[in-house]
Amino acid sequence: MSAAVEGGCIEPKLNLNGSSALESRAVDFHLRLHLHHQLAEKAMLENEANPTLSKSTGLPRKRFYRARAHSNPLSDSHFPVPTSPCHVNLSLHFPQFCSSSDQIDSSKKIQFADIGCGFGGLLISLSTLFPDTLMIGMELRDKVTEYVKERILALRLANPGQYQNISVVRTNSMKYIPNFFEKGQLSKMFFLFPDPHFKEKNHRRRVISSHLLDEYAYALGVDGIIYTITDVEELGDWMKACLESHPMFEAITEEELEADPVVKLLSSATEESQKVARNGGQTFQAVYRRIMPAT
Amino acid sequence: MEETLTEEGETNKDIEVAPALIAVHPTQKSVAVAVGSDLRVFDFQGVSAVSLVDDTSGPFHKDSIRAIRYSADGNLFVSAGDDKVVKIWSTDSWCCICTVPSEKRVSAVALSNDSLYVCFADKFGVVWVVDLDGFDGNQMLVNKKAAPLLAHYCSIITSLEFSPDGRFVISADRDFKIRVTVFPKKPLDGAHEIQSFCLGHTEFVSCLDFVFTSDFPQGFLVSGSGDSTVRLWDISSGSLLDTCEVGAKAELLESNGKEEECNLAVTDLCTFPDGTLIAVAAQSLQGIVLLSCDLSTRTLSITRVVSIMGEAFIPTSLGMSSSARLLWMVTGVSNLHGFVNPPLVRVRIISGFEKSSPGDPTILEDNEILGGDKLLEKLQGSVSVEEKVFLAAAEAVKTAMSNLLVKKQYSTEKREFRKRTRNDRKTKQ
C-alpha cells in the first residue's frame, strides 16, 4: 500500500502541447501512471496478501516499483561502492556460479555489462542466449534496481537452473565503472535508451561522451563490443559521433550486425524498446568494436 | 551536485579559504609562496625579492591561487586557481609569458617533463593541456587555448603528476580514484588510453608524488589521502604495494591533552630526490612525518616524526628542490575572516637529511636561513609573525578541505527534508 501512496506523490502533468520526445515520453509515463493508480486501487481490494508479487506468475509487479524517470548522475552517491574490482562479491550475485569459497579462484568474471539496465528486459533475454556468461545490470534508481533484483530471484525460483548468470547492482556507472571491472574484463557493454539530456548544459550528464568512452574502452577487452540504441535522433547522432571520433572504437560492418543475435535484441528486448515499437517510433543504433589504438 | 555546490558555497562563503602553497626551484635558484591571490617569489641568485611582470594590469591573480609549480628544468613556473586563469611565467625574467583562460576554477597543474606541455585540472574533473611549442624563452605566447585531455566524471581533481619517464599522466580525485593515463604523442587530440586505475583509498586523494632512483628509474607512485594513509603503487598495473597509516602516528602525537581526533587527512607529501624518504604533512600535525620507502621490497615505513617545538606550526604545503637537501614548509591561509590582507604566512625549513652526516633533521632558525630577513619579509609578508594566527589558519584549512572534498552524509530524515527543498520542486509552488 505504501508504495502506491508514494507513487501518488508524483503529480500527473498533462502537457499535451509538448513537442520534444522527452516530453511526450513524460506524458506517456504520467498517463500510464494515472491509469495504474486506478487499477491499483481495484487490485488492492482483491489481493490483500503479498501485493508486490503477481499471483499468477510470481513475478514482481512493476507498478510497485515506480520511480522517477530520471536520476541526477552528478549528485554524491550514498550507496556502497566496491573499493576496487577485487572487492566485488561475485558469490552474492551469482551463487550458483561462484561459491564464496572459490572467490580467490577468479576464473569466472563478469563479461557483459548493461549500463542503465532499467527494468532488466535485455538481461533476461541475454541470460538464456548466453547461459554461461556472467552479466550484470547497473542502474542508478534504487526502486528500479530493487525491481530487477526481485524479478531475477523470481525467475530463478520459477525456472530452476536458469537465470543464474544475471544480476543487478545499484550504482552510478558514470563514476564507478573502474571500481567494478578490471582492465579489459568486459566483452560487451550495452547502453540502451539512455537519458537524452536535451539541454546543452546537461550534455555532460549523457552516459556516452568522448571522455567516458575512454573508461569504457578501458573496461572492454580488445574486440569487445559496445551497443547503443535510442529513439531520440539527436542523441543517436551524438552517440554515433562520439564513437566515430574515438580512436579506440571502430564501426561494425553491416554483415556482422546481421550475424549478431544480440543486435536484434536491442530493439525488442527492453521495456523501453517495446514502448517505442508500440508507438511506432524510430530507433537509432550505433554498434562499435573496441580496437587497439593506432600508435 | 551543482545545485548543492552553489547552495553550500553561499552559506560557507566565510570559510571557503585556500591554504598557502610553496614551491622550490629544482636547483633552488628561487622559491615561491602563494597565499590567496598573492604570489611571492624570492630569488637566491640576486638574494632579492622578485617583482613579477605581467602586461595585464592590476593583481596578477584575482582570486585564491590553488596550484603552483616549477617545470623540471626550472625555466618555467605555472600558477592557477579560483580566478579561472592559468599563468605561465618565465623564471628568467619572471615575466608572465602566457595567460590561459579556463572555463572552471583550476585545482591542479603539472608540466610535462620536457616542458613542452602544461596540464591543468578543473573542479569539474576535466584535465586540459596547453602546448608551449615554439616558446624559446623570451617572447610572449599569445592566444593560447587549452584543449581537453581527459576527464574524471564531474569529480574535483586534487592532484596531477607526470611519471618520471614522462610516459604517463596521473590524476587523482575526490572520488578516491587515481587514474594513470598514457600521455599521447599528440596531446591536443586527447589522452584516451588508460593504463590503470590505482584503487584502494577510502577517502579523497589529496596529493601525489613519485619515488624513483637510478635502480628504479620508472619509480613508484605515492599518494596521500583523507583516509589518513599514504599508499605506494605500481602504476603500470595499478596494484597497491603498501599502505602506511600516517594518521595513527600523527594522532598519537596530538593526543596529549587534546581529545582524540580521527581521520586526520594527509594534506601534502614531498619525496626526496634519492627516492628513499617521503615527508608527509597531515591535518592538526605540528610538524611532519618522515616515511622511508624501500624500493626493492616495495614497502613504506614510518621513520620518525619531526615536530616543530616551541611554535604552533601545522604545514599546509611542502616543497623541496632536487639539489639541496632542504625541506621547505609553509603554513597560512587566504582571506581568513578577521586577519590582515595581504595575508601573513610562516615559512620554516628543515635540514640535516644528508646520508653522509646521519644527524637528526633540524629545524633552521630564522637567522640561519639563506636570504635571511629579506626572504622572510618577502615570503611571509613580515619578518616576524605572531604564531597564534596560524592555528586558526590551519583549522580553517581543515574545515575548508573537508567541506570541499569529504562527501556529505545525510540521515534519512535530513535527506527527505532536502528533497522537499529541491530547486525543481520550489518553482512549482
Side-chain angles (χ1 to χ4, degrees):
Chain A
M1 193 71 191
S2 68
V5 171
E6 231 185 288
C9 296
I10 306 169
E11 308 153 53
K13 188 180 83 182
L14 295 170
N15 176 8
L16 294 167
N17 303 325
S19 52
S20 75
L22 178 67
E23 271 171 312
S24 72
R25 286 162 97 199
V27 169
D28 179 36
F29 172 76
H30 286 300
L31 266 176
R32 297 205 306 147
L33 188 81
H34 200 64
L35 255 170
H36 266 296
H37 282 316
Q38 294 177 337
L39 285 171
E41 269 172 89
K42 242 190 223 165
M44 208 51 76
L45 296 171
E46 293 158 11
N47 188 1
E48 290 289 75
N50 195 359
T52 62
L53 293 183
S54 158
K55 251 183 8 196
S56 51
T57 60
L59 290 173
R61 296 190 296 176
K62 231 201 245 173
R63 81 177 76 127
F64 296 104
Y65 297 90
R66 283 287 174 203
R68 288 171 186 285
H70 313 283
S71 194
N72 182 3
L74 305 183
S75 63
D76 271 351
S77 343
H78 294 282
F79 42 79
V81 174
T83 309
S84 76
C86 60
H87 292 83
V88 180
N89 190 347
L90 289 180
S91 61
L92 225 65
H93 286 286
F94 313 102
Q96 207 155 96
F97 278 91
C98 316
S99 63
S100 47
S101 55
D102 62 22
Q103 181 77 51
I104 310 106
D105 167 39
S106 50
S107 55
K108 208 71 185 159
K109 280 181 181 159
I110 296 170
Q111 285 181 47
F112 294 179
D114 184 1
I115 313 300
C117 66
F119 292 96
L122 178 79
L123 278 177
I124 284 151
S125 303
L126 285 172
S127 173
T128 44
L129 199 60
F130 300 91
D132 296 320
T133 306
L134 298 188
M135 40 190 113
I136 198 153
M138 301 177 122
E139 172 60 51
L140 185 51
R141 294 166 293 169
D142 56 346
K143 273 197 200 166
V144 179
T145 318
E146 211 48 49
Y147 170 85
V148 180
K149 210 178 270 172
E150 291 299 326
R151 188 175 178 184
I152 293 171
L153 287 178
L155 281 169
R156 285 180 182 176
L157 209 66
N159 308 276
Q162 280 192 296
Y163 301 106
Q164 296 292 336
N165 58 335
I166 53 173
S167 188
V168 69
V169 65
R170 183 194 178 198
T171 197
N172 182 347
S173 49
M174 293 160 89
K175 285 191 176 201
Y176 302 118
I177 285 273
N179 296 70
F180 284 90
F181 309 115
E182 290 165 18
K183 189 179 188 176
Q185 179 181 335
L186 297 177
S187 58
K188 289 186 195 301
M189 285 181 99
F190 298 91
F191 298 86
L192 310 194
F193 302 93
D195 216 337
H197 292 298
F198 290 105
K199 284 186 201 164
E200 199 178 331
K201 90 172 179 82
N202 283 341
H203 282 181
R204 62 200 171 88
R205 299 189 187 191
R206 287 181 171 172
V207 73
I208 297 281
S209 70
S210 37
H211 288 310
L212 282 169
L213 281 175
D214 298 348
E215 284 191 21
Y216 305 151
Y218 164 85
L220 277 171
V222 173
D223 288 336
I225 296 176
I226 190 165
Y227 299 83
T228 71
I229 189 168
T230 177
D231 57 328
V232 180
E233 186 168 11
E234 183 197 331
L235 180 68
D237 291 345
W238 162 281
M239 295 197 293
K240 199 166 195 153
C242 287
L243 282 158
E244 194 57 52
S245 63
H246 200 282
M248 292 167 91
F249 289 100
E250 72 173 15
I252 277 178
T253 61
E254 284 299 323
E255 300 86 76
E256 281 175 281
L257 283 178
E258 284 293 313
D260 189 344
V262 175
V263 172
K264 287 164 197 72
L265 295 179
L266 301 183
S267 50
S268 65
T270 76
E271 285 72 9
E272 203 62 38
S273 66
Q274 286 158 10
K275 195 158 82 193
V276 173
R278 208 166 44 233
N279 299 336
Q282 228 187 325
T283 57
F284 308 89
Q285 64 181 36
V287 182
Y288 277 71
R289 177 185 289 109
R290 156 82 154 88
I291 53 167
M292 286 292 278
T295 44
Chain B
M1 195 169 92
E2 333 161 79
E3 289 88 333
T4 357
L5 267 185
T6 44
E7 195 185 301
E8 305 271 328
E10 274 155 23
T11 48
N12 296 334
K13 201 89 202 174
D14 52 333
I15 49 164
E16 204 190 308
V17 296
L21 305 171
I22 194 162
V24 187
H25 186 277
T27 55
Q28 205 163 302
K29 281 184 181 160
S30 58
V31 59
V33 165
V35 58
S37 57
D38 221 15
L39 185 57
R40 305 165 182 174
V41 183
F42 189 84
D43 176 34
F44 288 110
Q45 287 174 319
V47 199
S48 61
V50 169
S51 9
L52 305 172
V53 186
D54 189 351
D55 279 351
T56 55
S57 55
F60 307 119
H61 279 284
K62 293 179 181 66
D63 207 340
S64 294
I65 298 168
R66 295 285 182 168
I68 53 173
R69 186 185 291 249
Y70 283 91
S71 62
D73 60 14
N75 293 333
L76 295 173
F77 179 84
V78 181
S79 58
D82 289 353
D83 61 351
K84 302 180 186 175
V85 292
V86 178
K87 287 192 173 284
I88 304 167
W89 309 81
S90 155
T91 58
D92 208 26
S93 56
W94 284 103
C95 272
C96 177
I97 57 160
C98 188
T99 301
V100 186
S102 164
E103 280 174 29
K104 311 282 182 193
R105 294 178 182 196
V106 179
S107 56
V109 294
L111 287 112
S112 64
N113 298 348
D114 52 15
S115 305
L116 287 179
Y117 297 96
V118 170
C119 294
F120 62 92
D122 68 33
K123 285 182 76 177
F124 280 67
V126 183
V127 179
W128 304 81
V129 62
V130 186
D131 77 301
L132 300 180
D133 207 17
F135 174 67
D136 66 7
N138 287 312
Q139 90 287 23
M140 308 277 284
L141 293 167
V142 281
N143 291 331
K144 278 285 176 194
K145 281 219 171 60
L149 183 72
L150 60 99
H152 290 222
Y153 191 73
C154 292
S155 181
I156 298 170
I157 293 185
T158 50
S159 188
L160 266 184
E161 203 68 40
F162 276 89
S163 64
D165 57 10
R167 285 177 60 213
F168 303 106
V169 58
I170 327 305
S171 42
D173 69 22
R174 77 181 271 258
D175 281 330
F176 324 165
K177 247 192 229 110
I178 300 169
R179 169 173 157 167
V180 181
T181 314
V182 176
F183 193 68
K185 291 202 177 69
K186 291 182 196 161
L188 299 182
D189 297 341
H192 302 289
E193 195 180 343
I194 300 172
Q195 176 67 28
S196 67
F197 282 95
C198 301
L199 300 171
H201 279 299
T202 54
E203 260 298 344
F204 64 87
V205 183
S206 52
C207 44
L208 299 174
D209 208 346
F210 271 91
V211 285
F212 62 101
T213 59
S214 47
D215 291 338
F216 296 91
Q218 255 121 59
F220 298 101
L221 181 71
V222 276
S223 61
S225 157
D227 65 10
S228 73
T229 64
V230 171
R231 295 180 199 241
L232 185 71
W233 309 90
D234 174 359
I235 55 163
S236 69
S237 64
S239 46
L240 175 62
L241 303 172
D242 200 13
T243 301
C244 190
E245 295 281 345
V246 174
K249 188 81 179 177
E251 262 170 67
L252 217 65
L253 200 80
E254 285 307 295
S255 59
N256 44 350
K258 278 203 262 171
E259 73 243 58
E260 288 280 319
E261 276 185 281
C262 54
N263 281 337
L264 298 174
V266 172
T267 49
D268 199 8
L269 56 77
C270 177
T271 62
F272 285 59
D274 69 358
T276 55
L277 273 182
I278 304 160
V280 179
Q283 283 172 352
S284 307
L285 174 67
Q286 297 190 18
I288 52 153
V289 181
L290 275 181
L291 306 184
S292 71
C293 177
D294 188 329
L295 288 171
S296 53
T297 59
R298 299 167 186 194
T299 51
L300 293 170
S301 54
I302 294 179
T303 310
R304 57 178 298 156
V305 177
V306 183
S307 42
I308 316 278
M309 295 301 181
E311 184 175 329
F313 183 92
I314 300 167
T316 52
S317 172
L318 306 175
M320 173 158 236
S321 72
S322 44
S323 54
R325 295 181 65 84
L326 294 177
L327 178 72
W328 292 72
M329 306 178 291
V330 69
T331 189
V333 70
S334 67
N335 11 294
L336 188 61
H337 194 65
F339 289 104
V340 287
N341 206 20
L344 300 177
V345 303
R346 181 82 175 107
V347 175
R348 308 246 36 194
I349 301 166
I350 305 181
S351 77
F353 297 108
E354 287 84 0
K355 262 192 195 138
S356 49
S357 61
D360 284 347
T362 48
I363 296 137
L364 296 185
E365 291 304 323
D366 285 357
N367 55 22
E368 298 171 311
I369 294 173
L370 182 66
D373 284 358
K374 264 169 142 180
L375 174 133
L376 292 176
E377 190 169 2
K378 176 65 182 175
L379 298 184
Q380 297 189 158
S382 157
V383 174
S384 61
V385 283
E386 248 185 298
E387 65 173 85
K388 71 164 190 277
V389 302
F390 295 116
L391 280 185
E395 206 50 43
V397 168
K398 189 172 161 184
T399 318
M401 195 165 183
S402 68
N403 280 342
L404 186 67
L405 298 173
V406 175
K407 290 192 179 176
K408 287 156 196 80
Q409 297 291 341
Y410 302 106
S411 60
T412 326
E413 305 86 64
K414 192 134 179 247
R415 189 142 65 226
E416 287 307 315
F417 176 75
R418 285 176 60 84
K419 275 185 185 170
R420 249 179 284 148
T421 58
R422 274 170 31 158
N423 287 337
D424 53 341
R425 289 277 173 91
K426 270 186 212 156
T427 51
K428 275 184 190 169
Q429 284 159 9

PDB file of all heavy atoms in Angstrom, chain B residues 80-93:
ATOM      1  N   ALA B  80      47.893  28.951 -10.893  1.00  0.00           N
ATOM      2  CA  ALA B  80      46.491  28.909 -11.315  1.00  0.00           C
ATOM      3  C   ALA B  80      45.597  28.746 -10.105  1.00  0.00           C
ATOM      4  O   ALA B  80      46.054  28.353  -9.034  1.00  0.00           O
ATOM      5  CB  ALA B  80      46.258  27.746 -12.276  1.00  0.00           C
ATOM      6  N   GLY B  81      44.320  29.064 -10.280  1.00  0.00           N
ATOM      7  CA  GLY B  81      43.421  28.914  -9.148  1.00  0.00           C
ATOM      8  C   GLY B  81      41.994  29.319  -9.429  1.00  0.00           C
ATOM      9  O   GLY B  81      41.488  29.145 -10.541  1.00  0.00           O
ATOM     10  N   ASP B  82      41.367  29.922  -8.398  1.00  0.00           N
ATOM     11  CA  ASP B  82      39.935  30.190  -8.438  1.00  0.00           C
ATOM     12  C   ASP B  82      39.531  31.288  -9.426  1.00  0.00           C
ATOM     13  O   ASP B  82      38.343  31.442  -9.710  1.00  0.00           O
ATOM     14  CB  ASP B  82      39.452  30.570  -7.031  1.00  0.00           C
ATOM     15  CG  ASP B  82      39.465  29.380  -6.099  1.00  0.00           C
ATOM     16  OD1 ASP B  82      39.714  28.263  -6.588  1.00  0.00           O
ATOM     17  OD2 ASP B  82      39.244  29.562  -4.887  1.00  0.00           O
ATOM     18  N   ASP B  83      40.498  32.081  -9.915  1.00  0.00           N
ATOM     19  CA  ASP B  83      40.117  33.133 -10.857  1.00  0.00           C
ATOM     20  C   ASP B  83      40.061  32.632 -12.300  1.00  0.00           C
ATOM     21  O   ASP B  83      39.919  33.417 -13.235  1.00  0.00           O
ATOM     22  CB  ASP B  83      41.062  34.341 -10.743  1.00  0.00           C
ATOM     23  CG  ASP B  83      42.500  33.974 -11.062  1.00  0.00           C
ATOM     24  OD1 ASP B  83      42.789  32.768 -11.206  1.00  0.00           O
ATOM     25  OD2 ASP B  83      43.339  34.884 -11.167  1.00  0.00           O
ATOM     26  N   LYS B  84      40.160  31.321 -12.473  1.00  0.00           N
ATOM     27  CA  LYS B  84      39.977  30.679 -13.777  1.00  0.00           C
ATOM     28  C   LYS B  84      40.979  31.127 -14.828  1.00  0.00           C
ATOM     29  O   LYS B  84      40.645  31.231 -16.006  1.00  0.00           O
ATOM     30  CB  LYS B  84      38.540  30.902 -14.284  1.00  0.00           C
ATOM     31  CG  LYS B  84      37.499  30.375 -13.325  1.00  0.00           C
ATOM     32  CD  LYS B  84      36.110  30.601 -13.847  1.00  0.00           C
ATOM     33  CE  LYS B  84      35.089  30.190 -12.805  1.00  0.00           C
ATOM     34  NZ  LYS B  84      33.728  30.485 -13.208  1.00  0.00           N
ATOM     35  N   VAL B  85      42.178  31.460 -14.419  1.00  0.00           N
ATOM     36  CA  VAL B  85      43.248  31.657 -15.400  1.00  0.00           C
ATOM     37  C   VAL B  85      44.469  30.850 -14.961  1.00  0.00           C
ATOM     38  O   VAL B  85      44.698  30.636 -13.772  1.00  0.00           O
ATOM     39  CB  VAL B  85      43.667  33.136 -15.590  1.00  0.00           C
ATOM     40  CG1 VAL B  85      42.568  33.938 -16.234  1.00  0.00           C
ATOM     41  CG2 VAL B  85      44.142  33.753 -14.299  1.00  0.00           C
ATOM     42  N   VAL B  86      45.226  30.405 -15.963  1.00  0.00           N
ATOM     43  CA  VAL B  86      46.488  29.718 -15.710  1.00  0.00           C
ATOM     44  C   VAL B  86      47.569  30.650 -16.231  1.00  0.00           C
ATOM     45  O   VAL B  86      47.535  31.038 -17.399  1.00  0.00           O
ATOM     46  CB  VAL B  86      46.525  28.369 -16.466  1.00  0.00           C
ATOM     47  CG1 VAL B  86      47.858  27.676 -16.251  1.00  0.00           C
ATOM     48  CG2 VAL B  86      45.375  27.489 -16.015  1.00  0.00           C
ATOM     49  N   LYS B  87      48.491  31.023 -15.362  1.00  0.00           N
ATOM     50  CA  LYS B  87      49.567  31.922 -15.784  1.00  0.00           C
ATOM     51  C   LYS B  87      50.863  31.143 -15.873  1.00  0.00           C
ATOM     52  O   LYS B  87      51.218  30.405 -14.962  1.00  0.00           O
ATOM     53  CB  LYS B  87      49.699  33.096 -14.806  1.00  0.00           C
ATOM     54  CG  LYS B  87      48.549  34.077 -14.953  1.00  0.00           C
ATOM     55  CD  LYS B  87      48.817  35.379 -14.222  1.00  0.00           C
ATOM     56  CE  LYS B  87      47.735  36.397 -14.516  1.00  0.00           C
ATOM     57  NZ  LYS B  87      47.863  37.005 -15.863  1.00  0.00           N
ATOM     58  N   ILE B  88      51.543  31.302 -17.010  1.00  0.00           N
ATOM     59  CA  ILE B  88      52.824  30.640 -17.218  1.00  0.00           C
ATOM     60  C   ILE B  88      53.889  31.727 -17.204  1.00  0.00           C
ATOM     61  O   ILE B  88      53.801  32.705 -17.946  1.00  0.00           O
ATOM     62  CB  ILE B  88      52.822  29.861 -18.555  1.00  0.00           C
ATOM     63  CG1 ILE B  88      51.638  28.875 -18.573  1.00  0.00           C
ATOM     64  CG2 ILE B  88      54.141  29.130 -18.751  1.00  0.00           C
ATOM     65  CD1 ILE B  88      51.346  28.294 -19.932  1.00  0.00           C
ATOM     66  N   TRP B  89      54.874  31.554 -16.319  1.00  0.00           N
ATOM     67  CA  TRP B  89      55.908  32.566 -16.117  1.00  0.00           C
ATOM     68  C   TRP B  89      57.253  32.016 -16.585  1.00  0.00           C
ATOM     69  O   TRP B  89      57.533  30.830 -16.443  1.00  0.00           O
ATOM     70  CB  TRP B  89      56.037  32.930 -14.638  1.00  0.00           C
ATOM     71  CG  TRP B  89      54.759  33.281 -13.949  1.00  0.00           C
ATOM     72  CD1 TRP B  89      53.836  32.422 -13.443  1.00  0.00           C
ATOM     73  CD2 TRP B  89      54.257  34.593 -13.682  1.00  0.00           C
ATOM     74  NE1 TRP B  89      52.787  33.109 -12.875  1.00  0.00           N
ATOM     75  CE2 TRP B  89      53.023  34.445 -13.007  1.00  0.00           C
ATOM     76  CE3 TRP B  89      54.736  35.887 -13.938  1.00  0.00           C
ATOM     77  CZ2 TRP B  89      52.254  35.535 -12.587  1.00  0.00           C
ATOM     78  CZ3 TRP B  89      53.974  36.971 -13.513  1.00  0.00           C
ATOM     79  CH2 TRP B  89      52.755  36.792 -12.858  1.00  0.00           C
ATOM     80  N   SER B  90      58.077  32.920 -17.112  1.00  0.00           N
ATOM     81  CA  SER B  90      59.468  32.581 -17.370  1.00  0.00           C
ATOM     82  C   SER B  90      60.231  32.870 -16.090  1.00  0.00           C
ATOM     83  O   SER B  90      60.155  33.979 -15.557  1.00  0.00           O
ATOM     84  CB  SER B  90      60.000  33.436 -18.520  1.00  0.00           C
ATOM     85  OG  SER B  90      61.404  33.534 -18.392  1.00  0.00           O
ATOM     86  N   THR B  91      60.981  31.902 -15.590  1.00  0.00           N
ATOM     87  CA  THR B  91      61.663  32.132 -14.310  1.00  0.00           C
ATOM     88  C   THR B  91      62.938  32.947 -14.508  1.00  0.00           C
ATOM     89  O   THR B  91      63.590  33.327 -13.552  1.00  0.00           O
ATOM     90  CB  THR B  91      62.027  30.802 -13.622  1.00  0.00           C
ATOM     91  OG1 THR B  91      62.853  30.052 -14.521  1.00  0.00           O
ATOM     92  CG2 THR B  91      60.805  30.000 -13.289  1.00  0.00           C
ATOM     93  N   ASP B  92      63.284  33.188 -15.764  1.00  0.00           N
ATOM     94  CA  ASP B  92      64.447  34.008 -16.077  1.00  0.00           C
ATOM     95  C   ASP B  92      64.141  35.474 -15.799  1.00  0.00           C
ATOM     96  O   ASP B  92      64.840  36.155 -15.053  1.00  0.00           O
ATOM     97  CB  ASP B  92      64.768  33.790 -17.564  1.00  0.00           C
ATOM     98  CG  ASP B  92      66.233  34.005 -17.819  1.00  0.00           C
ATOM     99  OD1 ASP B  92      67.009  33.814 -16.872  1.00  0.00           O
ATOM    100  OD2 ASP B  92      66.579  34.378 -18.956  1.00  0.00           O
ATOM    101  N   SER B  93      63.051  35.918 -16.394  1.00  0.00           N
ATOM    102  CA  SER B  93      62.683  37.328 -16.281  1.00  0.00           C
ATOM    103  C   SER B  93      61.546  37.544 -15.288  1.00  0.00           C
ATOM    104  O   SER B  93      61.249  38.659 -14.919  1.00  0.00           O
ATOM    105  CB  SER B  93      62.242  37.822 -17.650  1.00  0.00           C
ATOM    106  OG  SER B  93      61.180  37.000 -18.123  1.00  0.00           O
TER     107      SER B  93
END
